[in-house]
Amino acid sequence: MEGLRLLTFGGLTIHAGSGPMTGASTRRHRLALLALVAVARNRGLGREKIAAYLWPEKDAEHARHGLNQLVYSQRRHLEDGGLFLGRKTLRLNPALITADVWEFEDALDAGDLEAAVQLYAGPFLDGFFLRDAPEFDRWVEDQRRRLQRRCGDALTRLARAATSAGDHARALVWWRQAAELDPFDTDTVRHLVQASLIVGDRATALRHVHQHADLLRTELGLEPDPELVRLIEQVRSAGN
């Protein structure tokens, strides 16, 4: 089998070679196992913890049996048994599988911010869930927030660096992506509006600020920040 690749941003799929896999190895619990162990990375994840995430409604014995069957099945279907390392604590074998979440965090840690944000293709495990597994769902939400924050921080740093270098068009691209990532963040929207004004696009600046104010009202029941109101007036005045 060609090299395996686990994609966790924007969904959850496993690829072999140039395309996504189908069949038994892509059933939900099997993919969830891969995601759990992938995020744990070199430290691995204990079997008891995995079983608690995947089968919270089962007693310990049945959950262990379910996990043993799952690991056996994935080993049989993927890479002839070498996919998982360890016995009590499971890790994925990086010689046989890669993962976008590994590359994303490695790029951030190495300071290659542009490579990192290009890997972020959408929210972590977007649209993926397990029925009757609330602990797993909470884990997904925690990881989703953590990885989104890391991406948002990278975009902010890229935007600030472009602004410092005088590349305002590039800064606008980064601020726009940051606002798409977290449209509720007023500080990011403020920077986006200011970047739009700098490049002379007043109409877009005004649209961004109104969209943000409307979002706060309709989704959160909040009135826009007074500074945002002042920014609206500033944008309007810029056209007079």
Side-chain angles (χ1 to χ4, degrees):
M1 183 180 292
E2 297 182 68
L4 300 174
R5 180 163 178 76
L6 187 68
L7 298 180
T8 65
F9 291 121
L12 179 57
T13 57
I14 185 166
H15 288 230
S18 59
M21 296 185 67
T22 59
S25 61
T26 63
R27 292 172 183 166
R28 283 186 172 269
H29 276 76
R30 297 183 183 191
L31 288 176
L33 169 63
L34 294 176
L36 285 164
V37 180
V39 170
R41 206 159 182 183
N42 292 334
R43 68 182 181 276
L45 196 61
R47 283 175 174 264
E48 290 186 2
K49 186 67 172 177
I50 296 171
Y53 278 129
L54 299 182
W55 298 283
E57 78 286 358
K58 292 185 177 181
D59 59 50
E61 181 179 352
H62 284 88
R64 280 196 301 270
H65 177 72
L67 178 57
N68 289 340
Q69 290 295 107
L70 205 62
V71 171
Y72 171 77
S73 297
Q74 288 298 69
R75 280 175 167 159
R76 185 163 58 89
H77 283 96
L78 301 171
E79 292 295 345
D80 298 325
L83 182 62
F84 294 100
L85 302 175
R87 295 180 63 85
K88 292 184 178 180
T89 299
L90 296 181
R91 293 176 288 116
L92 289 179
N93 186 348
L96 299 180
I97 189 169
T98 62
D100 58 354
V101 68
W102 297 346
E103 294 165 2
F104 171 76
E105 299 213 76
D106 284 348
L108 289 178
D109 293 342
D112 192 351
L113 305 183
E114 289 199 38
V117 299
Q118 287 174 1
L119 284 162
Y120 191 92
F124 178 73
L125 269 58
D126 192 25
F128 185 89
F129 66 93
L130 292 181
R131 187 172 299 169
D132 300 323
E135 284 298 319
F136 177 79
D137 290 342
R138 279 191 286 270
W139 174 82
V140 170
E141 286 297 326
D142 288 344
Q143 296 302 319
R144 187 175 292 157
R145 285 192 293 267
R146 179 180 70 84
L147 295 166
Q148 180 179 312
R149 282 195 300 268
R150 294 207 72 185
C151 186
D153 178 67
L155 288 166
T156 297
R157 290 165 62 189
L158 286 166
R160 293 185 186 280
T163 300
S164 297
D167 190 348
H168 299 294
R170 194 63 176 159
L172 180 59
V173 170
W174 298 129
W175 284 125
R176 185 181 295 115
Q177 290 187 30
E180 290 171 354
L181 188 68
D182 186 2
F184 295 96
D185 188 77
T186 296
D187 187 59
T188 297
V189 172
R190 183 163 53 247
H191 282 292
L192 173 59
V193 171
Q194 290 168 345
S196 299
L197 288 174
I198 289 172
V199 300
D201 193 347
R202 190 183 73 88
T204 297
L206 194 58
R207 185 177 73 252
H208 284 312
V209 76
H210 277 301
Q211 286 176 343
H212 178 66
D214 290 343
L215 187 66
L216 293 179
R217 289 191 187 98
T218 58
E219 297 294 327
L220 302 180
L222 298 175
E223 287 302 313
D225 185 279
E227 189 170 346
L228 190 64
V229 174
R230 288 193 293 271
L231 186 57
I232 294 174
E233 295 305 319
Q234 174 189 340
V235 175
R236 285 173 174 161
S237 299
N240 296 330

